[in-house]
Amino acid sequence: MPSLPRVVVPIAADGSLAPVDIAKSSDGLLELVFLINSEEPESASLAPIASALARTESAPFSDLEACRRAMERCGAGSAQTFVDRYCRLTALLNAVGSERETTWGRKDVQRQLYRMAGVSHTRSRRLHSAECLLGFIAAEGLPVVVKPVDGVASRELWILRNENDVREILQSRSRPENFAGMFAETFIMGQPPHAPYLGDYYSAEVFRDRSGNPFISVLSDRIAPREPANREAGVIFPTHLDNTEAAVLLRTADAAVDALGEHHGAFHVEVKQGVPQPDVIEVNGRLGGFVHRLVLAGTGVDMGRMALLAGLGRAADVRLDWRRCVALLMFQPPVDALRIEAGPNRRELMDLPGVFSVDRLVSHGAVVDGRGENGGALARVWLTADDHDMLHRRVGRVVETLDERFVLVDRNGRRVCDTRWTQQISRHQYKECE
Amino acid sequence: MTVENVAALMAELVKMDYVAPDESFFDVGGTSFLSLTLISRIESDFGVKLSMLDVVRAGTPVNVAELIDAGR
């Protein structure tokens, strides 16, 4: 029996596939070696988990040579990752003896490449100071998006729609060095979604084999983000778009991967139905967040395994036949909320129709972090339903329950209440807070 | 009895009143870190050493209890 390829996988606690799922998905496909960043405080808690699952090496990720030595030590022939911020490192580990440069961690450079390839018309500028940002706004007008060139999971993402938003970012970043590593780009106007509770952008998972052929291309919808900071609110499979509309977006996503010079692997591409043509928000060099669990629940297909297969340059003959619709709801608090005074218990959420998991629930007393990863969601609730209409009703019921049960206060201790988003999601007229 | 005891242990770890026999530990807030504690408690309470992958694959009190009974 031929030996399995040995692959090193840089991991973190916030990857799009958890170490336990990586271990399950790689079973019989490859020999797994986890690589942990010794410079990260979380490595101490991650190490026993990783070691319990597979061989585990540790190295400082800021030292490429040390990581290469770790890879040589364990005899791995290639690297793959599910962590955005490690895509660049992983590409460099795979690029020994190659002249090819990587663009991961350089979203400003990637934007230029999308424009050159014709899959984006979005203009952008690297920022060095407040004046630089104001100059860009003066030239392009609002709205404008400001984010780190190596940003991940909406962290430190700003959408500037009006003068107040501009004032807020300037106040929070009063010194020129606060703009280091940030860039601005014009906001992509999406076409109206199929339903008010959906966002105007889509995510494509594109898995390609060594010859660059996509063997999986699948689109998901997004639940309408909560304003004003456009915090991610969830994912829905399959998409509401018809086959023709979906095919246009999937072709754009595939062309965006080409624009970056990438060949094989798993890619997560965020895209909008723009006017007159789609426009790419960004491409990530890994499986999309939450995709593995949702697709498994909806089709039974192990997307983690498919992603690992693509990373090896191989393909699978697989079809995603949706047995049911699936959604992840990430419940975002109103933007003024600072602290949680009371909240629901996990059991009452688990008992709502269609809910099969509540894997995150922030408890009372906690401080809300609206600019953290995924906008600081207070709850993550996973649902299934027979069709999109049933799924919408179920998501609406969960949002209403969460809105009722979470008691949130602002910095002055006053109850925070903003039901606009709840109404948008549930379609119900919703009672005002007392 | 093993199923009930495993369910009670899981419920204690995820701070819930109960975990149903067919509910996955990871669906009700169980994390990788908590599964290490679960494995350790199973070893001390039942005298059976399970691997992390065993627990992850099994998931529910019913399936974990089967592994424990098989390992005794």
Side-chain angles (χ1 to χ4, degrees):
Chain A
M1 189 174 147
S3 61
L4 299 174
R6 191 171 295 170
V7 176
V8 72
V9 180
I11 55 169
D14 56 353
S16 62
L17 197 63
V20 289
D21 291 318
I22 298 171
K24 270 201 297 186
S25 295
S26 66
D27 195 18
L29 177 67
L30 53 83
E31 200 177 321
L32 185 64
V33 181
F34 287 129
L35 187 60
I36 288 180
N37 185 358
S38 59
E39 295 166 323
E40 292 256 351
E42 68 176 20
S43 66
S45 55
L46 199 56
I49 296 166
S51 305
L53 293 164
R55 177 174 175 177
T56 301
E57 296 282 339
S58 176
F61 282 13
S62 64
D63 183 345
L64 178 61
E65 285 311 311
C67 293
R68 282 185 175 145
R69 284 196 298 276
M71 197 167 154
E72 284 169 13
R73 206 160 50 234
C74 62
S78 64
Q80 297 190 37
T81 193
F82 296 89
V83 183
D84 254 355
R85 63 183 181 281
Y86 299 155
C87 285
R88 184 173 187 81
L89 170 69
T90 302
L92 293 171
L93 289 174
N94 285 329
V96 178
S98 159
E99 294 299 312
R100 196 176 145 256
E101 290 186 5
T102 178
T103 64
W104 303 124
R106 290 299 308 271
K107 290 184 178 180
D108 52 338
V109 173
Q110 290 178 331
R111 175 61 65 198
Q112 292 169 17
L113 294 171
Y114 306 145
R115 280 177 58 86
M116 286 164 58
V119 292
S120 173
H121 291 86
T122 301
R123 289 172 296 281
S124 65
R125 179 185 293 176
R126 182 79 186 245
L127 300 177
H128 304 287
S129 63
E131 289 71 30
C132 199
L133 172 61
L134 292 172
F136 184 75
I137 293 171
E140 303 294 347
L142 294 172
V144 157
V145 179
V146 178
K147 56 186 177 182
V149 296
D150 58 351
V152 294
S154 306
R155 203 176 287 161
E156 282 303 310
L157 172 81
W158 298 75
I159 297 179
L160 313 180
R161 296 181 188 278
N162 52 44
E163 299 280 319
N164 284 340
D165 294 341
V166 176
R167 238 187 329 267
E168 191 188 342
I169 191 171
L170 293 181
Q171 281 170 358
S172 75
R173 293 173 176 268
S174 54
R175 290 183 304 198
E177 58 265 34
N178 292 147
F179 284 96
M182 304 290 281
F183 81 116
E185 55 186 21
T186 51
F187 184 81
I188 302 167
M189 304 302 287
Q191 297 211 26
H194 276 230
Y197 85 112
L198 301 175
D200 68 350
Y201 70 110
Y202 303 84
S203 292
E205 306 303 316
V206 180
F207 294 4
R208 311 206 309 186
D209 64 17
R210 193 167 297 283
S211 58
N213 292 325
F215 64 93
I216 288 182
S217 291
V218 61
L219 210 61
S220 59
D221 294 342
R222 294 302 180 119
I223 295 176
R226 187 157 199 167
E227 298 283 356
N230 266 45
R231 289 158 297 157
E232 285 190 59
V235 185
I236 292 173
F237 278 108
T239 178
H240 285 66
L241 296 178
D242 65 37
N243 289 343
T244 308
E245 291 174 307
V248 171
L249 293 187
L250 288 172
R251 274 199 301 275
T252 302
D254 198 45
V257 175
D258 280 338
L260 300 183
E262 296 294 329
H263 302 286
H264 66 276
F267 304 93
H268 172 76
V269 185
E270 294 185 347
V271 62
K272 281 194 179 184
Q273 280 188 312
V275 179
Q277 63 189 66
D279 205 323
V280 172
I281 303 170
E282 63 180 34
V283 179
N284 304 118
R286 43 88 188 156
L287 172 70
F290 318 112
V291 168
H292 169 74
R293 199 169 184 202
L294 287 170
V295 174
L296 197 62
T299 70
V301 172
D302 181 341
M303 289 287 271
R305 191 174 185 81
M306 295 301 116
L308 291 166
L309 205 58
L312 293 171
R314 291 162 54 189
D317 184 14
V318 64
R319 266 175 57 92
L320 301 183
D321 290 323
W322 295 96
R323 301 192 295 244
R324 55 181 79 95
C325 296
V326 289
L328 164 66
L329 171 74
M330 293 188 275
F331 182 76
Q332 303 288 355
V335 73
D336 291 333
L338 189 71
R339 205 176 65 253
I340 302 167
E341 294 279 289
N345 67 55
R346 202 183 298 269
R347 175 55 61 199
E348 66 183 305
L349 299 176
M350 287 290 293
D351 287 344
L352 291 173
V355 174
F356 69 91
S357 177
V358 181
D359 69 340
R360 178 192 171 108
L361 185 62
V362 180
S363 56
H364 68 273
V367 173
V368 177
D369 175 15
R371 293 210 176 275
E373 186 181 329
N374 302 132
L378 302 186
R380 286 204 313 227
V381 182
W382 304 71
L383 303 102
T384 64
D386 293 341
D387 55 46
H388 279 127
D389 284 342
M390 182 189 281
L391 188 69
H392 180 201
R393 286 195 299 277
R394 288 178 168 183
V395 169
R397 174 94 181 268
V398 171
V399 171
E400 287 178 347
T401 303
L402 289 166
D403 217 18
E404 279 176 6
R405 302 287 286 111
F406 271 116
V407 177
L408 306 164
V409 296
D410 65 13
R411 66 176 68 181
N412 299 312
R414 284 192 300 255
R415 174 92 186 262
V416 175
C417 187
D418 178 355
T419 60
R420 285 171 298 178
W421 182 68
T422 309
Q423 289 180 29
Q424 183 183 354
I425 301 299
S426 69
R427 283 192 205 147
H428 294 151
Q429 281 299 310
Y430 202 63
K431 71 180 184 219
E432 292 303 315
C433 290
E434 293 166 1
Chain B
M1 272 305 284
T2 313
V3 177
E4 287 85 348
N5 291 340
V6 171
L9 182 50
M10 287 182 178
E12 179 191 331
L13 292 176
V14 297
K15 298 183 173 63
M16 289 178 73
D17 290 342
Y18 69 92
V19 171
D22 59 349
E23 272 181 334
S24 168
F25 180 60
F26 299 93
D27 283 342
V28 294
T31 61
S32 303
F33 190 73
L34 284 176
S35 66
L36 288 177
T37 309
L38 179 65
I39 289 164
S40 166
R41 289 285 299 276
I42 287 171
E43 188 172 6
S44 60
D45 292 2
F46 301 98
V48 175
K49 188 167 177 57
L50 299 179
S51 76
M52 193 158 174
L53 264 181
D54 286 339
V55 170
V56 169
R57 287 198 184 104
T60 65
V62 166
N63 293 340
V64 172
E66 271 180 24
L67 290 177
I68 292 169
D69 289 341
R72 276 175 165 161

